[in-house]
Amino acid sequence: MSAETPAAVGQFTRRRLQFRAWRGERPFWAGLFVMLGGLPIAYFPYANLQIGHLTLAMATTAGAGSLIIGVLLVVLGVSLWFQKHVRVFAGVAAILLALVSIPVSNIGGFLIGFLLALVGGAMAVSWAPGAPPAEEPPLAGGGHGGAPEGAVADTTVPEPADGTAPAGHEDHSRAPRTPGENDLSGTIPANGANGRHSAG
């Protein structure tokens, strides 16, 4: 089975998508920066720099303190990956350990470890889990025409500009009235109207 088979490509894509989903649910880059910051802080006090035949020891009087700070930073970075609910504590602890490493561990691992741990701790404190996107309900075509459902269609008929009434609509307010027409003042059961009046 060669490396170019479709099964291998599909498996690689699936693994990559799984890693992306795993990475998106936790402060991944914060943990990575904190871990990378712990490595130079723990390494430089125990390293020797070779310049020709000259060996320069970079050990400090607090070599054990540098090792402890470096190991703690690596542990905090791993805990940010697998225990994301302690992200604020781990971020603040990483920032404090980075500050302590300046006098203890060769200016914080020659400022490399200090800056990495400081940035990683700040990212851990500021990280917040993303809210899943809200699913929108499908649009139902139950409205009138293009109007959304529940909207009332406008049924008024506009008047023409010349002032005449539209066809089929009589304007009773402007029609001349004869005296006594639609006079409701005398509507009593005795006159045969039974209290009813005609509309229009």
Side-chain angles (χ1 to χ4, degrees):
M1 185 167 158
S2 66
E4 297 179 358
T5 59
V9 174
Q11 184 176 6
F12 173 75
T13 303
R14 188 173 69 250
R15 297 290 184 193
R16 184 176 59 84
L17 292 176
Q18 287 176 350
F19 175 70
R20 178 190 285 179
W22 178 83
R23 186 186 67 194
E25 296 173 354
R26 63 203 71 244
F28 175 80
W29 295 108
L32 183 65
F33 282 148
V34 170
M35 279 191 287
L36 290 178
L39 295 178
I41 290 175
Y43 172 74
F44 283 137
Y46 294 96
N48 294 326
L49 183 62
Q50 196 78 18
I51 304 174
H53 295 290
L54 179 64
T55 302
L56 180 62
M58 293 182 284
T60 60
T61 55
S66 300
L67 181 63
I68 290 171
I69 291 173
V71 169
L72 283 176
L73 285 173
V74 171
V75 169
L76 287 173
V78 172
S79 69
L80 283 171
W81 280 2
F82 297 103
Q83 301 291 330
K84 60 183 176 182
H85 59 276
V86 298
R87 61 182 175 81
V88 175
F89 166 76
V92 171
I95 292 171
L96 292 176
L97 287 172
L99 292 173
V100 170
S101 72
I102 290 178
V104 171
S105 175
N106 290 336
I107 316 173
F110 298 113
L111 293 180
I112 299 171
F114 165 73
L115 291 176
L116 286 172
L118 197 68
V119 169
M123 289 173 66
V125 171
S126 64
W127 184 85
E135 294 184 7
E136 296 181 2
L139 295 176
H144 297 287
E149 189 173 358
V152 179
D154 189 10
T155 57
T156 58
V157 178
E159 287 190 21
D162 59 356
T164 60
H169 293 279
E170 297 179 3
D171 190 3
H172 297 287
S173 63
R174 296 182 186 174
R177 296 186 182 187
T178 59
E181 183 186 0
N182 293 332
D183 187 11
L184 302 178
S185 61
T187 54
I188 56 174
N191 65 5
N194 279 339
R196 288 187 255 167
H197 65 277
S198 61

